[in-house]
């Protein structure tokens, strides 16, 4: 009897394994190639659609994709169009009458690395691509509900960043990533003829705008315990409500409005509030300007006497961001991003105390130009720069700054991520790169990055804590001003004011020049190899360091 039951279950799993997986509420992970290709098609057709907030459901992608003018595309553009169409519609014809959809696909990504100088940090962000083993399990209920956890096996960030790390495969107990699955969600929604709606509840990985250096507004590297997104969209207007539980003491509320006033222009406005307090309903109102609550003044009761005295406000961080994208002619776009969490009011006070509040802001500007080759193939060129002021994302305490810190359970090491730019505050970077896509089996690219990092990092800032007398953090210019004022220290007050007004990189700067060459080759649809090499010149305190990094990997998927 047990054998019969086992055979029945095995047969059922075999049927479900090949059932349709591309239902409309399945979401595609941020950074997937499909987003780049959809943006490329928009550029060639001189059209704007809302592909900037990721991840997205397949249904929403299709809603915009079917509006792209196929007849206006070049030969290489039509090849790309068919590739995207095939991906969005794959498996739709498998068992169309089956209401329950199930799919899994073992993905193996072994990678190997070499770094010549242990004094230079890795340029690889965690890994080149993925964890060495990933097993997504996708379950769909009709076409309107999808749930998916991606179970994985891999190294944690501390182990991946060790100077002599040579692979993404963990081989010691302290190296395993305890926090998994990293990508897990449930989604519901539907796209109608003229509009659509979806709701996503996930763990982490959201991104607002796809850039070369990481989004300054909200980057997919920002870790959260949970986030959800409600999206209402039409062809020209989209509203999104995002709520993130950064950890069990921090909640982030974001209202995002995207508009396309002209076919060649896209505008995005975002207002946010981070609260270091229990969950509140009032921040969910889409018609309320959250700044009007004056929340920075309302949580003084939660502060200690000294915190209230020196911080002056607390448990709250306001966040504001803008984005624009212009496609003035085919295959060329200009985009810009701006974010801030503190800025001196234009009509506000200008005394020394007010001037000690730092302007915490950043900007990002980029250009992309694509060249379609005659028959097939495409060349993409990028130029992008990003600037973050010394106190962008930073408030009086790390508890209500726009960052996340967690301790790895297996080795006790800290993992820190900022909401936006992976460079964090106090940085400047420029990238110039070009890529060639044969549209057949191989791709290749070369890029140059120049960056400057000041001394304001999470570790350097948040380690400045006075646990002897006042029990407060002392890194923030306004706190330093209040401490100096209490001691009648004129020089200290002037120094704090100067820090608040200083807008370039702080302290002894780290300069980096990096040249990267990378490429990939596909043997089969489910098997490809890839690699990259990076040469770095790092200058710090008049010392020059040279470093060569090499990385290669194999990507294999059990099913195409």
């Amino acid at each position: 009897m047990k054998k019969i039951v086992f055979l029945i279950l095995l047969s059922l799993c075999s049927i479900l394994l090949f059932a349709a997986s591309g239902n409309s509420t399945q979401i595609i992970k941020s950074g997937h190639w499909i987003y780049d290709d959809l943006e490329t098609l928009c550029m060639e057709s001189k059209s704007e659609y809302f592909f900037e907030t990721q991840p997205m459901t397949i249904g929403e992608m299709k809603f915009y994709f079917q509006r792209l003018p196929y007849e206006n595309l070049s030969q290489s553009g039509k090849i790309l169009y068919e590739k995207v169409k095939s991906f969005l519609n794959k498996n739709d014809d498998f068992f169309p009458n089956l209401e329950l959809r199930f799919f899994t696909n073992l993905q193996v990504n072994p990678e190997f690395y070499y770094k010549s100088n242990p004094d230079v940090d890795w340029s690889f962000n965690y890994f080149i691509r993925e964890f060495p083993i990933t097993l997504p399990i996708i379950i769909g209920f009709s076409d309107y509900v999808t749930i998916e956890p991606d179970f994985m096996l891999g190294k944690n960030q501390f182990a991946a960043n060790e100077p002599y790390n040579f692979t993404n495969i963990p081989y010691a107990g302290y190296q395993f990533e305890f926090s998994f699955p990293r990508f897990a969600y449930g989604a519901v929604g539907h796209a109608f003829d003229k509009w659509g709606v979806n709701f996503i509840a996930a763990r982490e990985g959201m991104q607002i705008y796809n850039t070369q250096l990481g989004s300054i507004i909200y980057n997919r590297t920002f870790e959260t315990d949970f986030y959800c997104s409600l999206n209402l969209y039409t062809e020209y207007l989209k509203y999104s409500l995002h709520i993130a539980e950064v950890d069990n003491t921090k909640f982030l509320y974001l209202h995002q409005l995207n508009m396309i006033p002209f076919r060649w222009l896209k505008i995005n406005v975002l207002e946010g509030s981070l609260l270091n307090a229990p969950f509140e309903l009032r921040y969910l109102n889409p018609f309320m300007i959250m700044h009007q609550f004056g929340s920075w003044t309302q949580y003084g009761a939660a502060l200690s006497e000294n915190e209230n005295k020196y911080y002056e406000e607390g448990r709250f961080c306001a966040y504001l961001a803008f984005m624009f994208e212009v496609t003035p002619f085919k295959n060329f776009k200009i985009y810009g991003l701006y974010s801030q969490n503190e800025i001196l009011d234009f009509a506000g006070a200008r005394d020394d105390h007010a001037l000690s509040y730092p302007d915490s802001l950043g900007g990002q500007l980029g250009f992309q130009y694509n060249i379609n080759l005659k028959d097939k193939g495409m060349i993409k060129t990028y130029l992008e720069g990003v600037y973050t002021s010394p106190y962008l994302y930073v408030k009086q305490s790390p508890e209500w700054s726009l960052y996340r810190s967690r301790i790895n359970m297996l080795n006790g090491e800290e993992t820190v991520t900022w909401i936006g730019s992976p460079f964090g505050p106090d940085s400047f970077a420029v990238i110039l790169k070009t890529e060639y896509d044969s549209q057949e089996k191989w791709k290749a690219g070369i890029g140059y990055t120049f960056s400057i990092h000041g001394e304001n990092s999470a570790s350097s800032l948040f380690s400045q804590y006075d646990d002897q007398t006042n029990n407060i953090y002392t890194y923030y210019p306004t706190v330093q001003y209040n401490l100096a004022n209490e001691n009648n220290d004129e020089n200290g007050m002037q120094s704090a004011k100067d820090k608040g007004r200083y807008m370039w990189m702080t302290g002894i700067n780290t300069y980096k020049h990096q040249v990267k060459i990378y490429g990939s080759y596909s043997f089969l649809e489910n098997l490809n190899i890839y690699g990259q090499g990076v040469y770095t010149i790092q200058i710090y305190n008049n010392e020059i360091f040279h470093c060569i990094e090499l990385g290669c990997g194999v990507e294999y998927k059990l099913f195409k």
Side-chain angles (χ1 to χ4, degrees), residues 87 126 128 192 453:
F87 176 83
Y126 223 149
I128 302 177
F192 301 92
H453 298 260

Side-chain angles (χ1 to χ4, degrees), residues 195-351:
W195 68 284
V197 58
N198 59 64
F199 178 80
I200 300 169
R203 177 176 179 182
E204 62 185 28
M206 189 174 77
Q207 176 156 308
I208 298 177
Y209 206 80
N210 189 27
T211 66
Q212 301 304 306
L213 293 169
S215 170
I216 200 174
I217 298 175
Y218 195 117
N219 201 57
R220 64 179 180 268
T221 51
F222 184 49
E223 292 190 354
T224 55
D225 285 339
F226 170 87
Y227 82 89
C228 62
S229 295
L230 173 65
N231 300 290
L232 297 165
Y233 55 90
T234 68
E235 188 174 352
Y236 302 105
L237 187 69
K238 179 179 178 180
Y239 165 78
S240 299
L241 166 65
H242 311 293
I243 305 168
E245 183 177 353
V246 181
D247 59 35
N248 65 332
T249 66
K250 279 186 183 182
F251 292 91
L252 177 64
Y253 310 84
L254 300 171
H255 294 273
Q256 181 183 0
L257 183 64
N258 297 341
M259 298 164 284
I260 302 177
F262 305 101
R263 178 53 62 196
W264 46 269
L265 173 64
K266 179 166 57 181
I267 301 171
N268 181 326
V269 181
L270 178 143
E271 185 191 16
S273 296
L274 182 138
L275 194 63
N276 178 219
F279 184 83
E280 288 205 30
L281 294 174
R282 58 177 172 165
Y283 296 101
L284 306 185
N285 189 338
F287 300 104
M288 189 68 197
I289 298 175
M290 290 186 288
H291 207 66
Q292 300 299 322
F293 290 130
S295 303
W296 61 93
T297 66
Q298 294 181 344
Y299 296 98
L303 300 176
S304 68
E305 182 179 347
N306 272 345
E307 286 177 331
N308 195 46
K309 178 180 179 181
Y310 297 112
Y311 294 159
E312 301 178 358
E313 60 182 40
R315 307 296 174 192
F316 176 82
C317 177
Y319 195 49
L320 185 66
F322 303 96
M323 184 277 291
F324 76 89
E325 182 177 296
V326 180
T327 309
F329 53 85
K330 291 179 64 172
N331 291 317
F332 179 69
K333 72 175 179 180
I334 306 168
Y335 56 90
L337 292 79
Y338 170 85
S339 64
Q340 70 171 57
N341 58 278
E342 185 77 61
I343 194 168
L344 201 61
D345 293 339
F346 293 112
R350 288 296 185 272
D351 56 42

Side-chain angles (χ1 to χ4, degrees), residues 24-242:
S24 296
T25 48
Q26 181 183 338
I27 70 173
I28 305 301
K29 191 180 299 186
S30 301
H32 192 278
W33 59 261
I34 190 67
Y35 296 106
D36 286 334
D37 286 356
L38 286 167
E39 287 287 355
T40 299
L41 291 172
C42 287
M43 289 174 63
E44 183 169 345
S45 60
K46 197 181 175 183
S47 303
E48 293 286 358
Y49 291 105
F50 302 120
F51 296 116
E52 67 281 345
T53 302
Q54 307 168 12
M56 293 173 60
T57 64
I58 288 179
E60 186 177 353
M61 290 186 198
K62 287 181 178 179
F63 179 85
Y64 306 130
F65 176 73
Q66 65 188 10
R67 288 164 168 76
L68 290 170
Y70 177 82
E71 64 279 0
N72 294 343
L73 300 175
S74 64
Q75 180 60 31
S76 59
K78 289 178 179 178
I79 293 173
L80 185 63
Y81 184 97
E82 294 299 330
K83 173 189 172 185
V84 172
K85 181 180 177 181
S86 175
F87 176 83
L88 294 178
N89 294 322
K90 69 176 182 178
N91 295 329
D92 279 354
D93 294 332
F94 285 6
F95 300 96
N97 296 322
L98 191 65
E99 291 298 320
L100 175 67
R101 301 179 177 185
F102 180 92
F103 184 75
T104 186
N105 194 0
L106 179 66
Q107 179 176 321
V108 181
N109 271 94
E111 295 178 351
F112 300 93
Y113 322 117
Y114 165 77
K115 182 157 67 83
S116 65
N117 191 337
D119 295 322
V120 177
D121 292 337
W122 287 100
S123 63
F124 307 154
N125 184 16
Y126 223 149
F127 303 117
I128 302 177
R129 293 203 176 178
E130 286 285 354
F131 292 102
I133 298 176
T134 305
L135 182 67
I137 298 176
I138 305 169
I139 302 173
F141 299 89
S142 187
D143 199 42
Y144 307 111
V145 181
T146 301
I147 58 176
E148 176 187 352
D150 281 13
F151 296 99
M152 40 68 60
L153 177 69
K155 283 186 176 179
N156 55 59
Q157 189 180 58
F158 170 78
N161 290 335
E162 288 183 311
Y164 296 102
N165 179 35
F166 65 92
T167 180
N168 65 342
I169 303 170
Y171 51 86
Y174 76 93
Q175 296 180 342
F176 284 87
E177 177 58 82
F178 180 83
S179 180
F180 73 93
R182 305 300 298 273
F183 182 70
Y185 71 89
V188 298
H190 186 66
F192 301 92
D193 291 337
K194 300 294 185 181
W195 68 284
V197 58
N198 59 64
F199 178 80
I200 300 169
R203 177 176 179 182
E204 62 185 28
M206 189 174 77
Q207 176 156 308
I208 298 177
Y209 206 80
N210 189 27
T211 66
Q212 301 304 306
L213 293 169
S215 170
I216 200 174
I217 298 175
Y218 195 117
N219 201 57
R220 64 179 180 268
T221 51
F222 184 49
E223 292 190 354
T224 55
D225 285 339
F226 170 87
Y227 82 89
C228 62
S229 295
L230 173 65
N231 300 290
L232 297 165
Y233 55 90
T234 68
E235 188 174 352
Y236 302 105
L237 187 69
K238 179 179 178 180
Y239 165 78
S240 299
L241 166 65
H242 311 293

